[in-house]
Amino acid sequence: MTMTKAENRVPLRVVNLECTFPTRGGTVQAVSGISFEVRPGEVLALVGESGCGKSTTGKAIMQLPPPTSGSVEFEGTDLTSVTGSSLRDIRRRLQIIFQDPISALNPRRKIKDIIAEGLVIAGVPKEERQKRVEVAMRQVGLDPANGERRPREFSGGQCQRIAIARAIVVNPTMLICDEPVASLDVSIQAQILNLLEETRRTYDLSMLFISHDLAVVNSISDRVAVMYLGRIVEIGDADSVYRHAAHPYTNILLDSAPTVGDVVRPPSGLELKGEVPSPLNPPSGCRFRTRCPRATAICAEQEPVLQEVRTEHQVACHHPVVDPDLPNNERPHV
Amino acid sequence: MSSPTFGQPKIFSSPMGHRKYLALLGALTVPFALASCGGDADGDDQGAETDQDDSANGEDDASNGEPVSGGEVTQVISVDTSTWDPARLPNMNPTLSASPFSAVYGQLLYSNVESGEVEPGLAESMTPNEDGTVWELTLRDGVEFSDGTAFDAEAVKTNWDRLADPETSAVSAPAAQSFESEVIDELTLELTTEEPDFFLDRVVASQLTFIVSPTAMDENPDVFTDDPVGAGPFVLSEAVSGSHYVYTPNENYWDEGKPYLDQLTIQVIGDRQQQRDTVSSQNTDLFIANAMGAEEWIAGTDMQLPSFDVGGSRSMFFNTARAPFDDPRAREAIALALDLEDIAYANEPEEGSTSPDSLFAEDSPFYDVDFALPSQDPDEAQRLFDELAEEGSPVEFSIVAGGAGGTRSAELIQSELGAYENVTVNLDIIPLPNFEEQVAFRGEFDLAIRPGSMFVNSPSPGIDQLLRTGGVNNISNYSSDEMDELLDAVRAESEVEDQRDALSEVFDLYLEELPWLPFGNTELVVTHIPELEGIELFEEGTARYQELYRTD
Amino acid sequence: MSESSPLLDVRGLRCVIPTPRGEVQVLSGVDVSLEKGQTLGLVGESGSGKSMFARSIMGISPPHARLEGEINFAGQDLLTLPKKAARRVWGKRIGMVFQDPMTSLNPVVRIGRQVGEAAEKHLGLSRQQARKRAIDLLELVGIPEPAKRHRSYPHEFSGGMRQRVTIAMALACEPDLLIADEATTALDVTVQRQILDLVKSIQTDRQMAMILVSHDLGVVSDRCDDVAVMYAGRIVEKSPTDRLFSDHRHRYTEALLQAIPRFDTPKHSHLAAIEGKPPNLAALSTGCPFAPRCAHEIDACTEAMPPMRSAEDELHWFACANPSRSKELLS
Amino acid sequence: MVILRAVAEKLLYLLPVLLLVTLATTLLIDLLPGDPAVTVLGLGATPEQVERINTEYGFDRPFYERYVTWLFGALTGDFGNSLVTSRPVLAEITARLPVTIQLTAMSLVLAVVFAIILALVAAVKEGSKFDRMMAALASASMSVPPFVAAVVLVFIFALVLGWSPVAGYSPLRDGLGRNLYYMALPVITMAMLETGFFYRILRGDLGTTLREDYILAARSKGLGTGYIMLRHALRPSLFSLMAMVGLSVGRLLGGSVIVEYFFSIPGLGQLLVNSVTTLDIPVIQASVVLIAIFYVLINSTVDVLYSVVDPRVKLR
């Protein structure tokens, strides 16, 4: 447990994570056996559209609720098998921030108590608690004088600051951010993204950043994993994925993102077909095949596995969009 | 004591608003319904009684013309009959089931509500022999049931035997079992009792008066549910159980030209407020009930309120079978300690009350029989309480009461006795349906306040059953050979004068013993529209339906 | 721009909502004019008044809101027009698509009915004809098997399909103006693109004018002729779309564009966030409402509300006392 | 058919409840104060007579024996005979049941219709004088128990105005007009309280519905207010009301006990009151069970009706 970063221990390793939920209509396969790791000091982004399982993955890592199967290894410990005080200790080092900051905070408690919560559990003495809460509040740009107030008196952006203060006050080593800026206005969004970046640097955190917004992801992450219907379809170095997206779905996603500013890649020209299939009964083979413009017979028969297309860049597709020799701007339309 | 003023005396009301109250009340009043001015003189009256109605009901607006045929009348009663079986009829109380029965079955004999005199009905006469052990019941000639079968001695005997049969579980079984009957001829029955009883005609008039067609009982399975067959003035044409009964004239009725009415409707209204509303809005032609403040009801209407003075009282009973009230001094002490008028007022605060100076109505031949309850004497009461305490048997008891009125009275008794030393009172307020069982059947009480009023208009069975050992109404569990002999003596007298003398001796002993204590009067209330004539009341208020007519 | 009367000409529109804590001026004098077939992008953060503006035009502002100014549509002022006459404009000549397709469709009414009812009312169609029209409209917006699915209820559709239904609903009477109020905000990006493309193509086909209301500059960037930026109940800058992105003058527009993460933003770089938070509309001070958050605030900013002025020509307007000169500086 | 099957299925689930209710009623005899035999025989009851009745009706047997006997009888439609009238209990009840059903149903319909009309009008005029007045009236009507309402209504309509009879009943076979003449006041009495409840719940839900986007969308289509209220606002606002209706059936059945007694209407409620006061155990037992079944049936129907009003609710 006392291993240092120098030993290059992988902070988080997820292997064959599977999450299913029984519903009236049948069993929903929210996450279907995904594996990835977050490296020391790295920000890994999980991107995808609603229902792809990215948030479920984040919660499953936190054991809220525990995954149906697979392992979640945090700093060498399998979270699915630990209980009691060691789980509490791990929880301290692994913190999560949610999308809706206002509802994630107990409205009846003072914010300084909310922030101190993790310290109380860790058994930190009162005076020290106070001090650390003040430091954390300053860190996230909140006036410690406001500690007596309650969440309702704060705006969404400020509540997200409180949530971040609550997370960092216990000196975590890793932060899971589940759509942390999705409900915020553009001007506030930039403030929070800056704060997260600053925090990451200050505390030398690893981060799992879950978001649907590709532009936001681009600004903060080192690597990106693209999810579709419970599976990772493409994972790799962010620049590589953004500039040389190999999976047709990633390409369409990037084409669709409304952006401002210079174009980093030409549109792929791929068009999405149909509707998202039901997670109750996902398609055989490649799950994207029902909507994929490049799908062929093999896609229905054989499930593609993640394969390296470039260094640090894997894709799970029988017909990836790959032409590594061409300059970025000259990739042919398919 | 606590209330400085009391309302108008004379008219009393009982908590009529609740049917359960009435059901109990009715059940309790069964044997008090009889009255007699004694002797055989009144038993064998001549024919129809229509010419007596003015004297019977004390009304001044009657008989200013000949009866007219036609018209419809609605009467409101307060409790549904539920059945047409005389065996199931709890009593003769008009507020219970007797009115619907009387219209369809008629009555063998009627006993006048005020005087207690027995008058002929479907029977022409009922006369005793010299010593009062054998009675002869003579039926009218040519009477038929509405199904055309003969109303004869055999039919009457069949009915009575059925009531006497333990299998029938009839309410009136004790009455039916009190004599042997024998058919002499088609129209004559002979009734034989073991002991002389010059009051047997009251028993018949009260409890054995409804005769059902035996043929119908044999052949018609619905005879007691919705198709009663009797020899009364009306037949039932529509029955909505729980709501109303519609009658049309019986084509076979023996008395030509009667009934006068084309239709009679008897409507059941259980809620007291609604009874009042019905009367004050003149939504009914006739309403008979047994005690309430009806004067207010009819204020501003032209409804009539003839006054009927009936006997009876509201009472409290001592349990003479166990301590402390097995000692007559304890009973006397209570009687002396309390202000009975206060208790009566608490029982029914709307109208106020006086303590009764007689248990009989003014028109009754027994009215002036000496009956003077001891007046309040706190010093003497305290002396008796002290005396009993010294002897080691202090007066400690609980009062069993039910219903609002009973509860109020019990509370007042408790508080009045609180002023005395050496007397301890607890209250035991119980639900009304329980009262009968706990008090009357099991005798588990010290002092019980009986809900509502009881009617008394005859020494027997009225007073008789209150005081005789094992008497149906002897709630006090009072048992005295001396008293039983005195009661036998009353029954054995054939002349009114002698009956009164014998009754005086009963009351003398009663006042010494005080097994129960009357504290308030009771009264029967009748309201009707001015156009309705021919109202005579019998028993506790059944009308002679064949005599009713409208003047408009 | 033709000098004949435009399709929509809003002048000095104010909207005041009384609240227990005083009156809130959610719109403080908005001027907008729109020609037939033109698309206007209306951009702003939450609380800027863009949705209230859209709703004011549609006559669905909150019950106690007080509207002042003029909303001239095809020469008629909707604010002074009798309600009955105005209703012949709403739904018939102006259609509106709402933000959330989950909530803007009645969950218990069949979609065919919801699509067809405006046509039934405004065009005097029979029930049968309205159904026929609804099916046609559903087909137009790309609902598969419309003849069957017009009998479905909203919950039987995915989010994207529902939004197509609401678009069909807004198009029922072939309106001259379509208002899309954050019409794609609740949708996934792939669906968003499909919907925006669909709307654009229909708009082009039918020569319909459109107001595209969004908080997302990216959404309006390549689909509008003009873009208006709103802040605190006012339009602070308005210009042809390409010019707004390349040559904006208002400091708020500038700050907004810098704050947005882009695909060309370097990793882990510091975003130019706008500090502070949007102003409280119930307690606006004199002067530019953006001044307290503005990095280029000068004295003039707080003295009075800077008037709208044109940049180079009549097409580009802004209201800033210390405007950026991005283009001039470059040149 | 789907609906029928759903109701049947719900009833199946409720079988244990019914068993429990019947069991409880069997225990009544031990729980109720008083001895039914003594009550029916009256004051002069002799121990022999009491014993005879107890043997005849099985009151002296242990409760599980009584229960099994009763249950088997009930399953074959034999609920025994009334202690008081000796008539078959089933006949007593079936004679009364239609009256109570009519009273309850009419009250319910009247309350629902009035509540809907008033709530729609008030919701359209949100914040108006009418709206505020209705809110006050609804609270008032909810706080007036039926027996008070009955007295007031009789005073106004029967005594002062003379429009209706004070009490009484006329069966349907004697003509609808006469029947309604008698039923009007009792129905209004029962409906008043419910109207208040229904109004309040519906007005609240309408208020919420009217803030929904789809109402804005409907308004933006230029549709008329009346059309929007009826077509778009009413149905989605009915869910809580429907749940209330199910509950109010229970309240109405309870209220019918008082109202039937007060107005002398020969329904099940009146029968139950009479039976309780006369300790007519067989009748009490059967009535309670019947009311329970009735209640369960209504609530199951309401559950099923959800799927009719709200297409999102799927019948399983």
Side-chain angles (χ1 to χ4, degrees):
Chain A
M1 294 305 278
T2 51
M3 289 189 186
T4 61
K5 293 276 158 63
E7 285 167 276
N8 206 17
R9 180 141 222 181
V10 175
L12 181 74
R13 177 179 285 131
V14 171
V15 182
N16 273 327
L17 187 80
E18 203 175 300
C19 301
T20 59
F21 304 106
T23 64
R24 277 215 320 206
T27 303
V28 169
Q29 304 193 9
V31 179
S32 308
I34 63 169
S35 305
F36 61 85
E37 56 182 41
V38 179
R39 299 164 189 168
E42 176 195 67
V43 180
L44 173 69
L46 274 185
V47 298
E49 296 183 286
S50 51
C52 71
K54 56 186 191 302
S55 277
T56 311
T57 304
K59 292 192 179 98
I61 290 167
M62 294 302 291
Q63 311 292 312
L64 306 166
T68 314
S69 69
S71 70
V72 177
E73 214 175 273
F74 177 67
E75 293 175 352
T77 315
D78 189 351
L79 294 187
T80 54
S81 61
V82 295
T83 49
S85 61
S86 51
L87 181 65
R88 267 209 301 281
D89 188 49
I90 289 166
R91 280 245 169 95
R92 177 185 67 74
R93 284 178 286 135
L94 176 62
Q95 290 286 317
I96 187 165
I97 294 166
F98 294 102
Q99 168 175 357
D100 185 353
I102 295 171
S103 67
L105 304 177
N106 184 338
R108 281 180 294 277
R109 302 195 63 189
K110 294 173 184 167
I111 63 162
K112 63 166 202 203
D113 295 334
I114 292 173
I115 295 170
E117 217 169 52
L119 296 174
V120 174
I121 294 167
V124 176
K126 197 171 180 190
E127 295 86 65
E128 197 194 329
R129 250 174 16 221
Q130 231 161 352
K131 221 174 287 162
R132 284 173 66 176
V133 167
E134 282 182 23
V135 170
M137 286 181 74
R138 275 201 200 90
Q139 176 76 33
V140 300
L142 290 169
D143 184 354
N146 287 336
E148 298 290 323
R149 294 162 74 182
R150 281 162 226 274
R152 286 279 155 84
E153 301 172 55
F154 295 87
S155 67
Q158 282 174 306
C159 282
Q160 203 57 292
R161 287 175 192 270
I162 296 166
I164 293 170
R166 177 172 65 170
I168 62 171
V169 78
V170 291
N171 289 328
T173 55
M174 184 168 180
L175 205 54
I176 296 177
C177 301
D178 186 0
E179 298 270 16
V181 295
S183 61
L184 304 177
D185 267 321
V186 181
S187 64
I188 309 297
Q189 171 181 308
Q191 293 173 8
I192 298 300
L193 286 173
N194 284 341
L195 175 60
L196 282 171
E197 178 62 29
E198 209 175 288
T199 307
R200 188 187 67 82
R201 242 180 257 161
T202 313
Y203 291 83
D204 195 17
L205 296 172
S206 314
M207 211 184 265
L208 182 65
F209 192 92
I210 298 164
S211 176
H212 72 282
D213 190 327
L214 291 159
V216 164
V217 164
N218 176 61
S219 74
I220 198 163
S221 55
D222 301 299
R223 289 198 305 138
V224 177
V226 181
M227 288 187 75
Y228 181 80
L229 216 61
R231 294 216 195 273
I232 292 178
V233 296
E234 186 159 11
I235 182 168
D237 175 74
D239 281 330
S240 184
V241 170
Y242 273 65
R243 287 169 201 273
H244 310 288
H247 200 284
Y249 176 63
T250 313
N251 275 285
I252 291 167
L253 212 52
L254 287 165
D255 293 346
S256 306
T259 52
V260 180
D262 296 333
V263 180
V264 296
R265 61 180 275 286
S268 68
L270 295 175
E271 290 287 341
L272 201 57
K273 303 190 292 185
E275 297 255 309
V276 187
S278 160
L280 291 173
N281 186 22
S284 64
C286 175
R287 294 201 169 174
F288 186 58
R289 69 174 165 85
T290 55
R291 311 183 67 196
C292 183
R294 315 183 111 206
T296 58
I298 189 173
C299 301
E301 289 155 19
Q302 221 175 317
E303 181 160 7
V305 290
L306 282 168
Q307 282 177 323
E308 194 128 299
V309 279
R310 292 163 156 261
T311 346
E312 284 289 307
H313 186 168
Q314 295 170 298
V315 68
C317 180
H318 295 298
H319 310 289
V321 186
V322 179
D323 199 348
D325 299 329
L326 286 174
N328 292 336
N329 290 343
E330 291 169 34
R331 279 196 311 158
H333 288 183
V334 182
Chain B
M1 294 277 210
S2 53
S3 306
T5 56
F6 303 118
Q8 298 281 326
K10 203 64 187 147
I11 293 178
F12 309 120
S13 40
S14 73
M16 293 275 301
H18 296 286
R19 179 178 173 162
K20 53 185 173 184
Y21 202 100
L22 285 171
L24 174 61
L25 170 64
L28 287 170
T29 52
V30 180
F32 296 87
L34 302 177
S36 168
C37 61
D40 44 351
D42 55 313
D44 47 0
D45 272 283
Q46 71 293 0
E49 289 291 316
T50 43
D51 44 358
Q52 281 201 347
D53 56 356
D54 45 356
S55 66
N57 59 25
E59 233 184 310
D60 55 349
D61 58 346
S63 62
N64 46 4
E66 284 297 301
V68 195
S69 286
E72 300 178 0
V73 160
T74 301
Q75 178 187 355
V76 164
I77 61 171
S78 55
V79 176
D80 191 13
T81 161
S82 309
T83 174
W84 297 100
D85 184 355
R88 298 262 77 86
L89 181 67
N91 66 359
M92 290 294 290
N93 191 315
T95 58
L96 284 163
S97 316
S99 288
F101 273 63
S102 188
V104 82
Y105 290 124
Q107 287 181 225
L108 272 180
L109 297 168
Y110 295 91
S111 79
N112 189 291
V113 69
E114 289 180 305
S115 67
E117 283 177 37
V118 171
E119 297 170 14
L122 293 169
E124 222 162 40
S125 68
M126 181 166 165
T127 48
N129 66 354
E130 291 280 304
D131 66 353
T133 54
V134 179
W135 288 71
E136 197 176 85
L137 179 79
T138 311
L139 304 177
R140 284 183 199 283
D141 197 4
V143 180
E144 281 179 0
F145 288 107
S146 59
D147 60 2
T149 57
F151 183 91
D152 56 14
E154 198 59 55
V156 174
K157 184 170 163 54
T158 307
N159 271 268
W160 286 355
D161 288 348
R162 176 174 173 269
L163 295 178
D165 183 354
E167 288 292 324
T168 313
S169 289
V171 175
S172 46
Q177 288 160 357
S178 67
F179 57 84
E180 293 290 330
S181 59
E182 195 188 332
V183 175
I184 303 300
D185 59 44
E186 236 176 77
L187 298 180
T188 316
L189 266 166
E190 205 172 74
L191 287 63
T192 313
T193 57
E194 284 176 18
E195 300 293 326
D197 186 356
F198 282 98
F199 290 88
L200 191 62
D201 53 346
R202 267 77 176 180
V203 175
V204 171
S206 150
Q207 284 165 301
L208 305 170
T209 193
F210 297 132
I211 303 299
V212 189
S213 158
T215 316
M217 281 200 283
D218 278 349
E219 295 170 2
N220 185 350
D222 295 331
V223 69
F224 293 139
T225 57
D226 50 19
D227 194 12
V229 179
F234 288 94
V235 290
L236 188 66
S237 72
E238 186 191 344
V240 180
S241 177
S243 172
H244 61 267
Y245 303 93
V246 180
Y247 300 86
T248 48
N250 175 6
E251 304 295 334
N252 278 347
Y253 193 61
W254 66 273
D255 200 355
E256 201 64 38
K258 293 179 184 172
Y260 298 119
L261 298 174
D262 290 341
Q263 185 180 301
L264 169 73
T265 303
I266 294 181
Q267 194 189 355
V268 186
I269 294 181
D271 186 80
R272 187 176 181 187
Q273 179 65 40
Q274 288 291 82
Q275 291 165 6
R276 174 183 185 149
D277 291 341
T278 308
V279 168
S280 58
S281 64
Q282 303 194 51
N283 263 309
T284 182
D285 304 314
L286 175 64
F287 176 67
I288 305 170
N290 61 356
M292 61 196 56
E295 272 169 351
E296 274 178 52
W297 294 18
I298 60 165
T301 73
D302 50 4
M303 292 291 275
Q304 307 290 302
L305 181 63
S307 159
F308 289 90
D309 184 13
V310 294
S313 73
R314 283 170 283 156
S315 316
M316 63 180 94
F317 288 82
F318 300 106
N319 190 346
T320 62
R322 70 184 198 189
F325 294 121
D326 54 350
D327 190 324
R329 285 174 298 169
R331 308 199 286 263
E332 190 186 354
I334 299 294
L336 293 172
L338 298 175
D339 181 334
L340 293 181
E341 289 196 7
D342 271 6
I343 310 296
Y345 181 77
N347 193 255
E348 199 47 68
E350 258 178 62
E351 299 302 336
S353 177
T354 55
S355 163
D357 52 1
S358 168
L359 288 178
F360 295 99
E362 267 180 71
D363 282 359
S364 167
F366 303 101
Y367 176 68
D368 52 356
V369 171
D370 193 32
F371 176 80
L373 287 173
S375 47
Q376 193 183 16
D377 186 347
D379 294 339
E380 177 61 9
Q382 187 61 60
R383 196 190 64 74
L384 286 168
F385 287 136
D386 293 344
E387 187 179 305
L388 285 160
E390 255 170 58
E391 288 173 18
S393 50
V395 182
E396 283 179 23
F397 66 101
S398 61
I399 305 176
V400 176
T407 306
R408 285 193 301 267
S409 298
E411 283 164 354
L412 183 60
I413 292 171
Q414 189 185 35
S415 96
E416 285 199 3
L417 291 179
Y420 295 89
E421 311 242 317
N422 288 323
V423 54
T424 315
V425 187
N426 295 311
L427 294 190
D428 183 7
I429 308 300
I430 60 172
L432 278 174
N434 256 20
F435 190 89
E436 214 164 85
E437 189 202 6
Q438 181 174 338
V439 173
F441 190 68
R442 279 212 293 274
E444 283 173 12
F445 72 103
D446 298 322
L447 176 69
I449 298 177
R450 161 181 229 158
S453 310
M454 59 180 187
F455 287 84
V456 174
N457 63 359
S458 164
S460 172
I463 300 295
D464 192 282
Q465 291 194 342
L466 272 162
L467 294 173
R468 183 178 295 278
T469 305
V472 168
N473 240 350
N474 187 349
I475 293 172
S476 306
N477 299 311
Y478 177 66
S479 176
S480 154
D481 292 343
E482 189 186 350
M483 182 60 90
D484 291 349
E485 277 165 28
L486 290 175
L487 290 167
D488 284 344
V490 177
R491 282 193 191 174
E493 294 298 337
S494 62
E495 297 305 317
V496 176
E497 287 304 315
D498 302 332
Q499 289 168 348
R500 280 167 53 171
D501 290 346
L503 190 60
S504 286
E505 286 182 49
V506 169
F507 278 146
D508 286 346
L509 184 58
Y510 160 79
L511 289 171
E512 271 173 43
E513 299 275 296
L514 281 180
W516 51 271
L517 195 56
F519 60 79
N521 273 331
T522 186
E523 181 155 340
L524 187 68
V525 163
V526 179
T527 63
H528 65 86
I529 55 165
E531 296 82 12
L532 185 62
E533 295 283 357
I535 300 167
E536 308 166 79
L537 295 188
F538 297 92
E539 291 308 330
E540 294 172 21
T542 58
R544 259 205 261 235
Y545 288 101
Q546 63 271 28
E547 306 294 345
L548 297 182
Y549 67 94
R550 295 187 70 115
T551 57
D552 51 350
Chain C
M1 225 180 211
S2 75
E3 286 306 310
S4 67
S5 77
L7 179 69
L8 177 71
D9 188 16
V10 178
R11 290 184 189 210
L13 183 64
R14 288 174 185 281
C15 177
V16 178
I17 298 177
T19 70
R21 285 185 214 154
E23 297 200 326
V24 176
Q25 200 164 61
V26 288
L27 293 176
S28 323
V30 176
D31 300 309
V32 164
S33 91
L34 191 63
E35 299 291 335
K36 202 167 187 285
Q38 241 196 340
T39 307
L40 172 71
L42 197 58
V43 184
E45 296 184 87
S46 51
S48 63
K50 57 189 190 305
S51 278
M52 195 56 71
F53 174 75
R55 289 176 184 209
S56 300
I57 295 174
M58 286 312 281
I60 53 172
S61 47
H64 303 292
R66 205 169 65 237
L67 292 175
E68 291 158 17
E70 291 172 29
I71 302 174
N72 294 306
F73 181 82
Q76 290 176 305
D77 183 0
L78 296 181
L79 287 184
T80 54
L81 213 56
K83 198 124 199 161
K84 230 176 168 174
R87 279 208 195 110
R88 283 198 286 273
V89 175
W90 297 320
K92 186 182 183 192
R93 303 197 60 188
I94 313 178
M96 182 158 173
V97 181
F98 290 79
Q99 168 172 356
D100 191 348
M102 301 292 167
T103 60
S104 57
L105 284 172
N106 193 326
V108 302
V109 179
R110 295 182 201 280
I111 58 142
R113 168 122 213 101
Q114 296 195 57
V115 170
E117 64 190 354
E120 193 179 323
K121 164 157 199 217
H122 296 299
L123 308 180
L125 301 187
S126 70
R127 189 64 64 93
Q128 231 75 321
Q129 290 168 312
R131 183 185 308 142
K132 175 81 181 51
R133 188 179 184 88
I135 293 170
D136 292 347
L137 283 161
L138 289 172
E139 184 160 26
L140 174 75
V141 297
I143 303 283
E145 298 184 274
K148 216 197 261 174
R149 305 224 54 188
H150 79 280
R151 290 188 52 78
S152 302
Y153 289 97
H155 70 278
E156 295 166 292
F157 288 85
S158 69
M161 285 295 151
R162 285 194 213 188
Q163 198 60 302
R164 288 171 192 264
V165 172
T166 64
I167 291 165
M169 214 158 84
L171 295 174
C173 300
E174 305 204 359
D176 302 311
L177 172 63
L178 182 70
I179 300 177
D181 182 7
E182 300 270 16
T184 58
T185 304
L187 304 175
D188 276 321
V189 283
T190 54
V191 183
Q192 166 167 295
R193 189 181 65 158
Q194 291 170 337
I195 297 292
L196 288 170
D197 289 349
L198 169 72
V199 170
K200 190 74 202 168
S201 73
I202 293 170
Q203 187 207 0
T204 317
D205 284 357
R206 307 201 166 192
Q207 275 300 294
M208 205 167 54
M210 179 159 80
I211 299 178
L212 193 62
V213 179
S214 178
H215 70 284
D216 191 337
L217 275 161
V219 164
V220 299
S221 67
D222 51 355
R223 288 182 173 87
C224 300
D225 302 314
D226 294 317
V227 173
V229 179
M230 285 192 79
Y231 190 80
R234 292 168 204 274
I235 289 178
V236 294
E237 183 159 14
K238 187 191 165 207
S239 89
T241 307
D242 52 345
R243 236 195 271 179
L244 188 91
F245 287 97
S246 58
D247 188 21
H248 39 262
R249 296 298 172 86
H250 202 285
R251 292 295 181 180
Y252 174 65
T253 315
E254 181 185 59
L256 202 57
L257 280 167
Q258 284 167 357
I260 300 169
R262 320 158 165 222
F263 281 152
D264 55 357
T265 307
K267 297 257 143 327
H268 305 302
S269 60
H270 188 84
L271 296 169
I274 305 172
E275 292 310 320
K277 50 182 180 175
N280 177 1
L281 293 179
L284 280 182
S285 49
T286 52
C288 174
F290 184 63
R293 304 175 76 189
C294 187
H296 307 277
E297 183 196 354
I298 55 172
D299 289 350
C301 295
T302 48
E303 279 160 16
M305 178 65 206
M308 224 18 171
R309 51 179 161 143
S310 67
E312 286 154 36
D313 50 33
E314 294 284 294
L315 297 176
H316 188 171
W317 294 82
F318 66 95
C320 186
N322 185 17
S324 78
R325 295 265 184 258
S326 47
K327 202 166 189 184
E328 285 163 34
L329 287 170
L330 283 172
S331 59
Chain D
M1 273 329 280
V2 180
I3 288 178
L4 278 183
R5 214 180 56 222
V7 171
E9 218 166 284
K10 284 226 188 301
L11 285 181
L12 210 65
Y13 282 116
L14 290 159
L15 216 59
V17 175
L18 287 178
L19 282 178
L20 220 65
V21 169
T22 53
L23 201 67
T25 54
T26 308
L27 281 169
L28 269 182
I29 228 186
D30 304 307
L31 300 175
L32 275 184
D35 184 330
V38 175
T39 311
V40 81
L41 287 168
L43 200 56
T46 62
E48 295 75 39
Q49 282 178 311
V50 169
E51 207 188 308
R52 189 192 316 280
I53 295 264
N54 280 337
T55 313
E56 190 183 331
Y57 284 86
F59 295 151
D60 51 353
R61 284 183 291 157
F63 95 91
Y64 53 86
E65 265 189 60
R66 295 204 311 268
Y67 183 59
V68 171
T69 313
W70 183 86
L71 201 63
F72 275 101
L75 287 176
T76 58
D78 176 13
F79 291 88
N81 290 341
S82 160
L83 268 175
V84 175
T85 65
S86 310
R87 260 183 279 191
V89 170
L90 200 62
E92 295 272 4
I93 288 177
T94 47
R96 307 275 192 137
L97 192 61
V99 180
T100 298
I101 290 179
Q102 189 202 356
L103 183 65
T104 311
M106 280 173 59
S107 309
L108 206 58
V109 169
L110 189 77
V112 167
V113 166
F114 259 86
I116 287 179
I117 293 170
L118 294 172
L120 282 174
V121 174
V124 168
K125 302 181 169 186
E126 179 158 19
S128 68
K129 221 177 243 165
F130 177 80
D131 190 21
R132 289 199 304 271
M133 192 185 77
M134 283 309 302
L137 268 179
S139 303
S141 89
M142 279 187 294
S143 51
V144 177
F147 59 87
V148 175
V151 171
V152 174
L153 288 173
V154 164
F155 179 76
I156 297 171
F157 291 103
L159 301 188
V160 176
L161 298 172
W163 291 352
S164 89
V166 171
Y169 173 75
S170 173
L172 265 172
R173 61 172 183 270
D174 291 355
L176 183 64
R178 265 183 75 75
N179 176 266
L180 291 182
Y181 177 65
Y182 282 104
M183 288 296 251
L185 275 195
V187 164
I188 293 171
T189 301
M190 301 236 292
M192 253 177 61
L193 183 78
E194 302 308 318
T195 309
F197 278 111
F198 293 167
Y199 172 84
R200 214 158 71 169
I201 204 120
L202 182 61
R203 174 67 189 83
D205 283 358
L206 273 173
T208 313
T209 302
L210 288 180
R211 279 176 194 79
E212 293 283 349
D213 281 355
Y214 56 80
I215 297 298
L216 287 183
R219 283 172 59 198
S220 79
K221 285 189 251 180
L223 302 171
T225 308
Y227 180 90
I228 289 174
M229 294 307 290
L230 289 174
R231 167 64 69 170
H232 285 283
L234 183 57
R235 215 166 116 188
S237 311
L238 287 177
F239 309 132
S240 330
L241 180 70
M242 284 171 60
M244 275 296 277
V245 165
L247 293 176
S248 95
V249 169
R251 207 167 36 230
L252 284 171
L253 286 175
S256 74
V257 171
I258 295 160
V259 169
E260 285 175 11
Y261 175 75
F262 188 83
F263 286 103
S264 304
I265 293 172
L268 202 56
Q270 198 199 48
L271 182 69
L272 196 57
V273 174
N274 296 351
S275 309
V276 168
T277 53
T278 55
L279 291 180
D280 195 344
I281 298 287
V283 175
I284 300 174
Q285 227 168 342
S287 309
V288 169
V289 170
L290 206 85
I291 288 175
I293 292 176
F294 193 51
Y295 184 69
V296 163
L297 208 67
I298 292 286
N299 276 285
S300 309
T301 313
V302 166
D303 278 358
V304 169
L305 278 179
Y306 275 126
S307 65
V308 176
V309 173
D310 188 350
R312 288 168 298 185
V313 177
K314 280 270 185 314
L315 288 178
R316 273 195 298 154

